[in-house]
Amino acid sequence: MTRAETFRALHRGRLPDDPLVLPGPWDAASARALADAGFPALAIPSAGVAASLGYADGETPAEEMFAAVARIVRAVDVPVSADVEDGYGLPPKELVERLLEAGAVGCNLEDSDESGLKDAHAHADRLAEVRSAAAGRLFLNARIDTFLRGESDPARTIERAALYVEAGADCVYPIGAPVAVLPLLRSGTRVPVNVFARIGEGPSPAELGELGATRVTFGPGLQRRATAAVTEIAALLR
């Protein structure tokens, strides 16, 4: 079984209180630590990588992001998915090639940019092209930014999810969705649902699973906690 097949299989048949927990490494050292802790797969957050490279979130050049993904993948023996923001303007075939060259088994693609939410049908078309180019070699996680962009009606999120699933998305990621609407989103979606969690805050991964999460990710939460720890150590050293 390839790593991509292993990663896909991790999403199947999960019990409600046992979602797939995917912590987010930002470099090779953090990836090794997380893999050694026993996590079966990892999900690279673009914001965490950006911070580690000295960039603001969303400003990492594509070349540097793919190089960072490759370093992380080389450091571990578990499948690694990567957040590649909105795809850096790359044509679908090139985007897929770059991800596969880096060794990623999956990717997040978001449906907004600096101007706001993208046209849902146009984004679905792009997802379909990525899906076709990947030919089963990548697990496609479609991030839905409605809640981040002030669209509070869950129906709008479900509508976008349906379009993206029809286009071939393996998973949908309604980032920022209020906990109270997770059961509704779960019932209205035919594929796994990725839920964002804050470390040490709010429901536990198991509780999020009971509410509808198939998998749980933390964005740059681990990187920010690590930076906070370094800040505390620096204060002690002074």
Side-chain angles (χ1 to χ4, degrees):
M1 184 180 289
T2 67
R3 285 189 183 183
E5 291 169 338
T6 297
F7 187 66
R8 196 177 301 277
L10 287 171
H11 293 76
R12 301 189 188 117
R14 306 204 68 90
L15 296 174
D17 63 350
D18 183 33
L20 177 61
V21 176
L22 297 174
W26 58 95
D27 61 12
S30 59
R32 287 195 190 102
L34 293 169
D36 288 347
F39 290 98
L42 306 173
I44 300 171
S46 61
V49 171
S52 74
L53 297 176
Y55 293 103
D57 186 17
E59 295 184 4
T60 309
E63 290 290 338
E64 294 195 45
M65 182 61 71
F66 288 116
V69 172
R71 287 192 295 272
I72 289 170
V73 169
R74 287 196 301 268
V76 297
D77 292 324
V78 299
V80 178
S81 183
D83 175 8
V84 289
E85 303 176 276
D86 67 350
Y88 308 109
L90 297 172
K93 185 174 185 295
E94 183 179 351
L95 176 62
V96 168
E97 289 172 351
R98 298 293 296 275
L99 282 162
L100 293 175
E101 286 172 3
V105 300
C107 68
N108 291 0
L109 281 173
E110 57 199 48
D111 65 353
S112 72
D113 55 26
E114 63 279 357
S115 63
L117 284 169
K118 298 179 180 180
D119 177 82
H121 291 276
H123 189 65
D125 289 343
R126 178 167 169 77
L127 291 174
E129 292 180 36
V130 171
R131 173 76 175 194
S132 177
R137 295 172 292 174
L138 289 174
F139 186 94
L140 185 55
N141 187 30
R143 201 180 94 172
I144 305 173
D145 288 359
T146 44
F147 293 103
L148 287 186
R149 298 293 180 167
E151 176 54 77
S152 60
D153 184 353
R156 304 288 81 78
T157 300
I158 292 172
E159 288 170 1
R160 284 181 174 255
L163 284 173
Y164 302 162
V165 171
E166 186 65 26
D170 296 290
C171 184
V172 294
Y173 179 14
I175 187 170
V179 170
V181 306
L182 292 181
L184 177 61
L185 297 178
R186 171 69 275 174
S187 66
T189 307
R190 294 189 288 111
V191 297
V193 175
N194 186 144
V195 172
F196 171 78
R198 298 184 184 278
I199 299 169
E201 299 179 26
S204 68
E207 290 168 333
L208 290 173
E210 294 280 10
L211 291 168
T214 312
R215 75 184 215 180
V216 177
T217 55
F218 306 90
L222 275 75
Q223 181 271 327
R224 290 174 180 170
R225 286 286 291 270
T227 299
V230 171
T231 300
E232 291 177 7
I233 293 169
L236 292 174
L237 295 177
R238 285 178 60 85

